[in-house]
Coordinates of all heavy atoms in Angstrom, one line a residue:
S1 N 84.2 51.1 92.5 CA 85.2 50.5 93.5 C 85.5 51.4 94.6 O 85.1 52.6 94.6 CB 86.4 50.1 92.7 OG 87.2 51.2 92.4
D2 N 86.2 50.9 95.6 CA 86.5 51.7 96.8 C 87.4 52.9 96.4 O 87.3 54.0 96.9 CB 87.2 50.9 97.8 CG 86.3 49.8 98.5 OD1 85.1 50.1 98.4 OD2 86.8 48.8 99.0
Y3 N 88.3 52.7 95.5 CA 89.2 53.7 95.0 C 88.5 54.8 94.4 O 88.8 56.0 94.7 CB 90.3 53.1 94.1 CG 91.3 54.1 93.6 CD1 92.4 54.4 94.5 CD2 91.3 54.6 92.4 CE1 93.3 55.3 94.1 CE2 92.3 55.5 92.0 CZ 93.3 55.9 92.9 OH 94.3 56.7 92.5
E4 N 87.5 54.5 93.6 CA 86.7 55.6 92.9 C 85.9 56.4 93.9 O 85.7 57.6 93.8 CB 85.8 55.0 91.8 CG 86.6 54.5 90.6 CD 85.7 53.7 89.7 OE1 84.5 53.5 90.0 OE2 86.2 53.3 88.6
Q5 N 85.3 55.6 94.9 CA 84.6 56.3 96.0 C 85.4 57.3 96.8 O 85.0 58.4 97.1 CB 83.9 55.3 96.9 CG 82.7 54.7 96.3 CD 82.0 53.8 97.4 OE1 82.7 53.2 98.2 NE2 80.7 53.7 97.3
L6 N 86.7 56.8 97.1 CA 87.6 57.7 97.8 C 87.9 58.9 97.0 O 87.9 60.0 97.5 CB 88.9 56.9 98.2 CG 89.9 57.7 98.9 CD1 89.4 58.1 100.3 CD2 91.2 56.9 99.1
G7 N 88.2 58.7 95.7 CA 88.5 59.9 94.9 C 87.3 60.8 94.8 O 87.5 62.1 94.8
Y8 N 86.1 60.3 94.7 CA 84.9 61.1 94.6 C 84.8 61.9 95.9 O 84.5 63.1 95.9 CB 83.7 60.3 94.4 CG 82.4 61.1 94.5 CD1 82.0 62.0 93.5 CD2 81.6 61.0 95.7 CE1 80.8 62.7 93.7 CE2 80.4 61.7 95.8 CZ 80.0 62.6 94.8 OH 78.9 63.3 94.9
N9 N 85.0 61.3 97.1 CA 84.8 61.9 98.4 C 85.9 63.0 98.6 O 85.6 64.1 99.1 CB 84.9 60.9 99.5 CG 83.7 60.0 99.6 OD1 82.7 60.4 99.1 ND2 83.9 58.8 100.2
L10 N 87.1 62.8 98.1 CA 88.1 63.8 98.1 C 87.8 65.0 97.2 O 88.0 66.1 97.6 CB 89.5 63.2 97.8 CG 90.1 62.3 98.8 CD1 91.3 61.6 98.2 CD2 90.4 63.0 100.1
R11 N 87.3 64.7 96.0 CA 87.0 65.8 95.1 C 85.8 66.6 95.6 O 85.7 67.8 95.4 CB 86.6 65.2 93.7 CG 87.9 64.8 93.0 CD 87.5 64.5 91.5 NE 86.5 63.5 91.4 CZ 86.7 62.2 91.4 NH1 87.9 61.7 91.6 NH2 85.7 61.3 91.2
S12 N 84.8 66.0 96.3 CA 83.6 66.7 96.7 C 83.8 67.3 98.1 O 82.9 67.9 98.7 CB 82.4 65.8 96.7 OG 82.6 64.7 97.6
N13 N 85.1 67.1 98.7 CA 85.5 67.7 100.0 C 84.6 67.2 101.1 O 84.1 68.0 101.9 CB 85.5 69.2 99.9 CG 86.3 69.9 101.0 OD1 87.1 69.2 101.6 ND2 86.1 71.1 101.2
L14 N 84.3 65.9 101.2 CA 83.6 65.4 102.3 C 84.6 65.3 103.5 O 84.1 65.3 104.6 CB 83.0 64.0 102.0 CG 81.9 64.0 101.0 CD1 81.4 62.6 100.7 CD2 80.7 64.8 101.5
F15 N 85.8 65.0 103.2 CA 86.8 65.0 104.3 C 87.5 66.3 104.4 O 88.4 66.7 103.8 CB 87.9 63.9 103.9 CG 87.4 62.6 103.6 CD1 87.7 62.0 102.4 CD2 86.6 61.9 104.5 CE1 87.2 60.7 102.1 CE2 86.1 60.7 104.2 CZ 86.4 60.0 103.0
Q16 N 86.9 67.1 105.3 CA 87.3 68.5 105.4 C 88.6 68.7 106.3 O 89.0 69.8 106.4 CB 86.2 69.4 105.9 CG 85.0 69.3 104.9 CD 83.9 70.2 105.3 OE1 83.9 70.9 106.3 NE2 82.8 70.1 104.6
G17 N 89.0 67.7 106.9 CA 90.2 67.8 107.7 C 89.9 68.3 109.1 O 88.7 68.3 109.6
G18 N 90.9 68.6 109.9 CA 90.8 69.0 111.3 C 90.3 70.4 111.4 O 90.1 71.1 110.5
P19 N 90.0 70.8 112.7 CA 89.6 72.2 112.9 C 90.7 73.2 112.6 O 91.9 72.9 112.7 CB 89.3 72.2 114.4 CG 90.1 71.1 115.0 CD 90.2 70.1 113.9
L20 N 90.3 74.4 112.2 CA 91.2 75.4 111.8 C 91.9 76.0 113.0 O 93.0 76.4 113.0 CB 90.5 76.5 111.0 CG 90.0 76.0 109.6 CD1 89.3 77.2 108.9 CD2 91.1 75.5 108.7
K21 N 91.2 76.1 114.1 CA 91.7 76.6 115.4 C 92.1 75.5 116.3 O 91.2 74.7 116.7 CB 90.7 77.6 116.0 CG 91.3 78.2 117.3 CD 90.3 79.2 117.9 CE 90.8 79.8 119.1 NZ 89.8 80.6 119.8
I22 N 93.3 75.4 116.7 CA 93.7 74.3 117.6 C 93.5 74.8 119.0 O 93.9 75.9 119.4 CB 95.2 74.0 117.4 CG1 95.4 73.5 115.9 CG2 95.7 73.0 118.4 CD1 96.9 73.2 115.6
R23 N 92.9 73.9 119.8 CA 92.6 74.2 121.2 C 93.4 73.2 122.1 O 93.6 72.1 121.7 CB 91.1 74.0 121.4 CG 90.2 74.9 120.5 CD 88.8 74.8 120.9 NE 88.6 75.2 122.3 CZ 87.6 75.8 122.7 NH1 86.6 76.1 121.9 NH2 87.4 76.1 124.0
S24 N 93.7 73.7 123.2 CA 94.4 72.8 124.2 C 93.7 72.9 125.5 O 93.0 73.9 125.8 CB 95.9 73.2 124.3 OG 96.0 74.5 125.0
L25 N 93.8 71.9 126.3 CA 93.2 71.8 127.6 C 93.7 72.9 128.5 O 93.0 73.5 129.3 CB 93.3 70.4 128.2 CG 92.6 70.2 129.6 CD1 91.1 70.4 129.4 CD2 92.9 68.8 130.1
M26 N 95.0 73.1 128.4 CA 95.7 74.1 129.3 C 95.1 75.5 129.0 O 94.8 76.3 129.9 CB 97.2 74.1 129.2 CG 97.9 75.1 130.1 SD 99.6 75.0 129.9 CE 100.2 76.3 130.9
R27 N 95.0 75.9 127.7 CA 94.5 77.2 127.4 C 93.1 77.4 127.7 O 92.6 78.5 128.0 CB 94.8 77.5 125.9 CG 96.2 77.6 125.6 CD 96.4 78.2 124.2 NE 97.8 78.1 123.8 CZ 98.7 79.1 124.0 NH1 98.2 80.2 124.7 NH2 99.9 79.0 123.7
D28 N 92.3 76.3 127.6 CA 90.9 76.4 128.0 C 90.7 76.4 129.5 O 89.7 76.9 130.0 CB 90.1 75.2 127.4 CG 90.0 75.3 125.9 OD1 90.2 76.4 125.4 OD2 89.7 74.2 125.2
S29 N 91.6 75.8 130.3 CA 91.4 75.7 131.7 C 91.9 76.9 132.5 O 91.4 77.1 133.6 CB 92.1 74.4 132.2 OG 91.6 73.3 131.5
Y30 N 92.9 77.5 132.0 CA 93.6 78.6 132.8 C 93.4 79.9 132.1 O 93.3 80.0 130.9 CB 95.1 78.3 133.0 CG 95.3 77.0 133.8 CD1 95.7 75.9 133.1 CD2 95.1 77.0 135.2 CE1 95.9 74.7 133.8 CE2 95.3 75.8 135.9 CZ 95.7 74.7 135.2 OH 95.9 73.5 135.9
T31 N 93.5 81.0 132.9 CA 93.4 82.3 132.4 C 94.8 82.7 131.8 O 95.8 82.1 132.1 CB 93.1 83.3 133.5 OG1 94.0 83.2 134.5 CG2 91.7 83.1 134.1
P32 N 94.8 83.7 130.9 CA 96.1 84.0 130.2 C 97.2 84.4 131.2 O 98.4 84.1 130.9 CB 95.8 85.2 129.3 CG 94.3 85.0 129.1 CD 93.7 84.4 130.3
D33 N 96.9 85.0 132.3 CA 98.0 85.4 133.2 C 98.7 84.2 133.8 O 99.9 84.3 134.1 CB 97.5 86.4 134.3 CG 96.4 85.7 135.2 OD1 95.6 85.0 134.6 OD2 96.4 86.0 136.4
I34 N 98.0 83.1 134.1 CA 98.6 81.9 134.6 C 99.6 81.3 133.6 O 100.7 80.9 133.9 CB 97.5 80.9 135.0 CG1 96.7 81.4 136.1 CG2 98.2 79.6 135.4 CD1 97.4 81.6 137.4
I35 N 99.2 81.3 132.3 CA 100.0 80.8 131.3 C 101.3 81.6 131.1 O 102.4 81.1 130.9 CB 99.2 80.6 130.0 CG1 98.1 79.6 130.2 CG2 100.1 80.2 128.8 CD1 97.1 79.6 129.0
Q36 N 101.1 82.9 131.2 CA 102.3 83.8 131.1 C 103.3 83.7 132.2 O 104.5 83.8 132.1 CB 101.9 85.2 130.9 CG 101.2 85.5 129.6 CD 100.5 86.9 129.6 OE1 100.6 87.6 130.6 NE2 100.0 87.3 128.5
K37 N 102.7 83.4 133.4 CA 103.6 83.2 134.6 C 104.4 81.9 134.6 O 105.4 81.7 135.3 CB 102.8 83.3 135.9 CG 102.3 84.7 136.2 CD 101.5 84.7 137.5 CE 100.8 86.0 137.7 NZ 99.9 85.9 138.9
A38 N 103.8 80.9 133.9 CA 104.5 79.6 133.8 C 105.8 79.7 133.1 O 105.9 80.1 132.0 CB 103.5 78.6 133.1
T39 N 106.9 79.3 133.8 CA 108.2 79.4 133.2 C 108.8 78.0 133.2 O 108.5 77.2 134.1 CB 109.1 80.3 134.0 OG1 109.2 79.9 135.3 CG2 108.6 81.7 133.9
R40 N 109.6 77.6 132.2 CA 110.2 76.3 132.2 C 111.6 76.5 132.7 O 112.4 77.4 132.3 CB 110.3 75.8 130.7 CG 108.9 75.5 130.2 CD 109.0 74.9 128.8 NE 107.7 74.6 128.3 CZ 107.4 74.4 127.1 NH1 108.4 74.4 126.2 NH2 106.2 74.1 126.7
D41 N 112.0 75.6 133.6 CA 113.3 75.6 134.2 C 114.2 74.6 133.3 O 114.0 73.4 133.4 CB 113.3 75.2 135.6 CG 114.6 75.2 136.3 OD1 115.6 75.8 135.7 OD2 114.8 74.7 137.4
P42 N 115.1 75.2 132.6 CA 115.9 74.2 131.7 C 116.8 73.3 132.6 O 117.2 72.3 132.1 CB 116.8 75.2 130.9 CG 116.8 76.5 131.7 CD 115.5 76.5 132.4
N43 N 117.1 73.6 133.8 CA 117.9 72.7 134.6 C 117.1 71.6 135.3 O 117.6 70.6 135.8 CB 118.6 73.5 135.7 CG 119.6 74.5 135.2 OD1 120.3 74.2 134.2 ND2 119.7 75.6 135.8
N44 N 115.8 71.7 135.3 CA 114.9 70.7 135.9 C 113.9 70.3 134.8 O 113.0 70.9 134.5 CB 114.2 71.3 137.1 CG 113.5 70.2 137.9 OD1 113.5 69.0 137.5 ND2 112.8 70.6 139.0
W45 N 114.2 69.1 134.2 CA 113.4 68.6 133.1 C 112.6 67.4 133.6 O 113.2 66.3 133.8 CB 114.4 68.2 132.0 CG 113.7 67.8 130.7 CD1 113.1 68.6 129.8 CD2 113.5 66.4 130.3 NE1 112.6 67.8 128.8 CE2 112.8 66.5 129.1 CE3 113.9 65.2 130.7 CZ2 112.5 65.4 128.3 CZ3 113.5 64.1 130.0 CH2 112.9 64.2 128.8
H46 N 111.3 67.6 133.8 CA 110.4 66.5 134.3 C 111.0 65.9 135.6 O 111.0 64.6 135.7 CB 110.1 65.5 133.2 CG 109.3 66.0 132.1 ND1 108.0 66.3 132.2 CD2 109.7 66.3 130.8 CE1 107.6 66.8 131.0 NE2 108.6 66.8 130.2
G47 N 111.5 66.7 136.5 CA 111.9 66.1 137.8 C 113.4 65.6 137.7 O 113.9 65.2 138.7
R48 N 114.0 65.7 136.6 CA 115.4 65.2 136.5 C 116.3 66.4 136.1 O 115.9 67.3 135.4 CB 115.5 64.2 135.4 CG 114.8 62.9 135.7 CD 114.9 61.9 134.6 NE 114.2 60.7 134.8 CZ 114.8 59.6 135.0 NH1 116.1 59.5 135.0 NH2 114.1 58.5 135.2
R49 N 117.4 66.4 136.6 CA 118.4 67.4 136.3 C 119.1 67.1 135.0 O 119.2 65.9 134.6 CB 119.4 67.6 137.4 CG 118.8 67.9 138.7 CD 119.2 69.3 139.1 NE 118.5 69.7 140.4 CZ 117.7 70.7 140.5 NH1 117.5 71.4 139.5 NH2 117.2 70.9 141.7
I50 N 119.5 68.1 134.3 CA 120.1 67.9 133.0 C 121.4 67.1 133.1 O 121.6 66.2 132.3 CB 120.5 69.3 132.3 CG1 119.2 70.1 132.0 CG2 121.3 69.2 131.0 CD1 118.2 69.4 131.0
Y51 N 122.2 67.3 134.1 CA 123.4 66.5 134.2 C 123.1 65.1 134.5 O 123.9 64.2 134.1 CB 124.4 67.2 135.2 CG 123.9 67.2 136.6 CD1 124.1 66.2 137.5 CD2 123.3 68.4 137.1 CE1 123.6 66.3 138.8 CE2 122.8 68.5 138.4 CZ 123.0 67.4 139.2 OH 122.5 67.5 140.5
E52 N 122.0 64.8 135.2 CA 121.6 63.4 135.4 C 121.3 62.7 134.1 O 121.6 61.6 133.9 CB 120.5 63.3 136.4 CG 120.8 63.8 137.8 CD 119.6 63.8 138.7 OE1 118.5 63.6 138.2 OE2 119.7 64.1 139.9
L53 N 120.6 63.4 133.2 CA 120.2 62.9 131.9 C 121.5 62.6 131.1 O 121.6 61.6 130.4 CB 119.3 63.8 131.2 CG 117.9 63.9 131.7 CD1 117.1 64.9 131.0 CD2 117.2 62.5 131.6
G54 N 122.4 63.6 131.2 CA 123.7 63.4 130.5 C 124.5 62.2 130.9 O 125.0 61.4 130.1
K55 N 124.5 62.0 132.2 CA 125.2 60.8 132.8 C 124.5 59.5 132.3 O 125.1 58.5 132.0 CB 125.2 60.8 134.3 CG 126.2 61.9 134.9 CD 126.1 61.9 136.4 CE 127.0 62.9 137.0 NZ 126.9 63.0 138.4
W56 N 123.1 59.5 132.3 CA 122.4 58.3 131.9 C 122.7 58.0 130.4 O 123.0 56.8 130.1 CB 120.9 58.5 132.1 CG 120.1 57.3 131.7 CD1 119.8 56.3 132.6 CD2 119.6 57.0 130.4 NE1 119.1 55.4 131.9 CE2 118.9 55.8 130.6 CE3 119.6 57.6 129.2 CZ2 118.3 55.1 129.5 CZ3 118.9 56.9 128.1 CH2 118.3 55.7 128.3
Y57 N 122.7 59.0 129.6 CA 123.0 58.8 128.1 C 124.4 58.3 128.0 O 124.7 57.5 127.1 CB 122.7 60.0 127.3 CG 121.3 60.2 126.9 CD1 120.4 61.1 127.5 CD2 120.8 59.3 125.9 CE1 119.1 61.2 127.1 CE2 119.5 59.4 125.5 CZ 118.7 60.3 126.1 OH 117.4 60.4 125.7
E58 N 125.4 58.9 128.7 CA 126.8 58.5 128.6 C 126.9 57.0 129.0 O 127.6 56.2 128.2 CB 127.6 59.3 129.6 CG 129.1 59.1 129.5 CD 129.9 59.9 130.4 OE1 129.3 60.9 131.0 OE2 131.1 59.7 130.5
K59 N 126.2 56.5 130.0 CA 126.3 55.1 130.4 C 125.6 54.2 129.4 O 126.1 53.1 129.0 CB 125.6 54.9 131.8 CG 126.4 55.5 132.9 CD 125.7 55.2 134.2 CE 126.5 55.9 135.4 NZ 125.7 55.8 136.7
Y60 N 124.5 54.7 128.8 CA 123.8 54.0 127.8 C 124.6 53.7 126.6 O 124.7 52.6 126.1 CB 122.5 54.7 127.5 CG 121.7 54.1 126.4 CD1 121.0 52.9 126.5 CD2 121.6 54.7 125.1 CE1 120.3 52.4 125.5 CE2 120.9 54.2 124.1 CZ 120.2 53.0 124.3 OH 119.5 52.5 123.3
F61 N 125.2 54.8 126.1 CA 126.0 54.7 124.9 C 127.3 53.9 125.1 O 127.8 53.2 124.2 CB 126.3 56.0 124.2 CG 125.1 56.6 123.5 CD1 124.6 57.8 124.0 CD2 124.6 56.0 122.5 CE1 123.5 58.3 123.4 CE2 123.5 56.5 121.8 CZ 122.9 57.7 122.3
L62 N 127.9 54.0 126.3 CA 129.0 53.2 126.6 C 128.6 51.7 126.6 O 129.3 50.8 126.1 CB 129.6 53.6 128.0 CG 130.8 52.8 128.5 CD1 132.0 53.1 127.6 CD2 131.1 53.2 129.9
D63 N 127.5 51.4 127.2 CA 127.0 50.0 127.1 C 126.7 49.5 125.7 O 127.1 48.4 125.4 CB 125.7 49.9 128.0 CG 125.2 48.5 128.1 OD1 126.0 47.6 128.4 OD2 124.0 48.3 127.8
L64 N 126.2 50.4 124.9 CA 126.0 50.0 123.5 C 127.3 49.7 122.8 O 127.4 48.7 122.0 CB 125.2 51.1 122.7 CG 123.7 51.2 122.9 CD1 123.1 52.3 122.1 CD2 123.0 49.9 122.6
N65 N 128.3 50.5 123.0 CA 129.6 50.3 122.4 C 130.3 49.0 122.9 O 130.9 48.3 122.1 CB 130.5 51.5 122.7 CG 130.1 52.8 121.9 OD1 129.4 52.7 120.9 ND2 130.5 53.9 122.4
V66 N 130.1 48.7 124.2 CA 130.7 47.5 124.7 C 130.0 46.3 124.0 O 130.6 45.3 123.6 CB 130.5 47.4 126.2 CG1 130.8 46.0 126.8 CG2 131.5 48.4 126.9
Q67 N 128.6 46.3 123.9 CA 127.9 45.3 123.3 C 128.3 45.1 121.8 O 128.5 44.0 121.3 CB 126.4 45.5 123.3 CG 125.8 45.3 124.7 CD 124.3 45.6 124.7 OE1 123.7 45.9 123.7 NE2 123.7 45.6 125.9
K68 N 128.5 46.2 121.1 CA 128.9 46.1 119.7 C 130.3 45.5 119.6 O 130.6 44.7 118.7 CB 128.9 47.5 119.1 CG 128.9 47.6 117.6 CD 128.8 49.0 117.1 CE 127.6 49.7 117.5 NZ 127.5 51.1 116.9
A69 N 131.2 45.9 120.5 CA 132.6 45.4 120.5 C 132.6 43.9 120.8 O 133.3 43.1 120.1 CB 133.5 46.2 121.5
M70 N 131.8 43.5 121.7 CA 131.7 42.1 122.1 C 131.2 41.2 120.9 O 131.6 40.1 120.6 CB 130.8 41.8 123.3 CG 131.4 42.4 124.6 SD 132.8 41.5 125.2 CE 131.9 40.2 126.0
K71 N 130.2 41.8 120.2 CA 129.6 41.1 119.1 C 130.6 41.0 118.0 O 130.7 40.0 117.3 CB 128.4 41.9 118.6 CG 127.6 41.2 117.5 CD 126.3 41.9 117.2 CE 125.6 41.2 116.1 NZ 124.3 41.9 115.7
D72 N 131.4 42.1 117.7 CA 132.4 42.0 116.7 C 133.5 41.0 117.0 O 134.0 40.4 116.1 CB 133.0 43.4 116.5 CG 132.0 44.4 115.8 OD1 131.0 43.9 115.3 OD2 132.3 45.6 115.9
K73 N 133.9 41.0 118.3 CA 135.0 40.1 118.7 C 134.6 38.6 118.8 O 135.3 37.8 118.3 CB 135.6 40.6 120.0 CG 136.8 39.8 120.5 CD 137.4 40.4 121.7 CE 138.7 39.7 122.0 NZ 139.4 40.2 123.1
Y74 N 133.4 38.3 119.4 CA 133.0 37.0 119.6 C 131.9 36.5 118.7 O 131.6 35.3 118.7 CB 132.6 36.8 121.1 CG 133.7 37.1 122.0 CD1 133.7 38.2 122.9 CD2 134.9 36.2 122.1 CE1 134.7 38.4 123.8 CE2 135.9 36.5 123.0 CZ 135.8 37.6 123.8 OH 136.8 37.8 124.7
G75 N 131.3 37.4 117.9 CA 130.3 36.9 117.0 C 129.0 36.9 117.6 O 128.0 36.7 117.7

């Protein structure tokens, strides 16, 4: 059966898994000095400022709370 074949393949190690060394396109494309110079700015997250994200989440959760309250009050 399929179950027995799968067990046999696992026991005989036909499925050896992924590569032992993980490679990335950035590490393959750039020299190590470029990667070391790259710094992350915590105040600028993908073009958005942290406080802008905080305001968005605040409005989002306020909206969720209003919807929940309306549902509780009016069904």
Side-chain angles (χ1 to χ4, degrees):
S1 71
D2 292 336
Y3 184 75
E4 290 173 356
Q5 281 184 329
L6 179 63
Y8 171 76
N9 290 336
L10 288 172
R11 285 191 303 277
S12 61
N13 200 17
L14 291 178
F15 305 123
Q16 297 179 8
L20 295 177
K21 182 179 178 185
I22 297 175
R23 302 183 59 146
S24 72
L25 182 61
M26 181 178 176
R27 291 191 188 272
D28 290 343
S29 301
Y30 298 104
T31 57
D33 60 321
I34 297 293
I35 296 172
Q36 290 171 357
K37 289 179 188 175
T39 58
R40 292 183 181 166
D41 184 10
N43 293 325
N44 192 358
W45 186 77
H46 291 289
R48 294 178 182 247
R49 301 249 177 240
I50 295 297
Y51 61 88
E52 291 173 355
L53 289 174
K55 287 180 183 178
W56 183 88
Y57 274 106
E58 185 179 351
K59 289 179 184 178
Y60 174 72
F61 286 115
L62 181 64
D63 183 50
L64 282 180
N65 290 337
V66 168
Q67 287 180 5
K68 199 181 297 182
M70 294 286 281
K71 187 176 180 181
D72 290 343
K73 186 172 183 177
Y74 298 113

